[in-house]
Amino acid sequence: MKKNKKMFFTMSMVLIILSLSIYSIGEGKKQTLELNPGVEDLSFLSQLEKEVIVELNMARTEPAKYAEFVNDLKKKFESDYQYFSDGAFVVTSEGIEGVDEAVRFLRKVEPISPLTVSKGLSSAAKAQVLYQGPDGLTGHSGKGGASPMDRMNRYGKWKYVSGENINYGNKTAREIVMQLIIDDGVKDRGHRMNIFNEDFHVVGVGCGPHAEYEWMCVMDFAGGYQEM
């Protein structure tokens, strides 16, 4: 059987009273997400984008539980090869050792507060998807050389601190978040540090097709965000 090599990689950049929204995540399960002040509902997010935020919050609030999901990935490894259910695979830099290191981190790190959902940050994330996806571009620079912070300020104003993660190649919320946490081949674990940065309180997500890696997902984080 011919096997297809799966390509993905990730990029990171670091620099009150809440509304609630409840939505279905399948199989009759309901999930509550907190909305940033000024956000009325989740209609601007796709199902996948909502699920990515749920995964981010699960990892932040229940890291020891999330460690078990990550640990299960070892069943899909042969040496440095990670295999996927569709028969594709990726050649990792660290192999199972990278997974084990992520599991140790998750079992040790203290839980932190969940992220609230921002419409403006999601618009900034989606803008990067629309810019990069059609031509298969990568990186944090946007149209006209705009930085992630420039994009975030087009739809509101970020406060205190901000950052961005981008994942290329994964198509499910859990795969996206787990790969960012493992952060294979990234010395400073910058994507992981963004997810577990206790100074980040707000997030926006945008996911969509990518000409080179099939799929991409952008997460924009901030310490606070004033919606437009």
Side-chain angles (χ1 to χ4, degrees), residues 48-59:
L48 174 61
E49 290 161 352
K50 294 173 188 175
E51 290 171 1
V52 167
I53 298 173
V54 168
E55 292 292 320
L56 290 170
N57 283 342
M58 188 187 306

Side-chain angles (χ1 to χ4, degrees), residues 163-184:
E164 179 172 87
N165 281 357
I166 307 179
N167 175 272
Y168 300 89
N170 294 113
K171 294 181 180 179
T172 72
R174 183 151 295 172
E175 283 181 350
I176 290 166
V177 174
M178 286 198 299
Q179 296 297 340
L180 289 166
I181 290 173
I182 294 169
D183 228 359
D184 178 63

Side-chain angles (χ1 to χ4, degrees), residues 69-82:
F69 301 143
V70 175
N71 195 53
D72 280 346
L73 275 182
K74 292 192 290 187
K75 300 173 184 176
K76 300 180 179 181
F77 273 78
E78 290 182 16
S79 184
D80 291 335
Y81 290 74
Q82 181 183 350

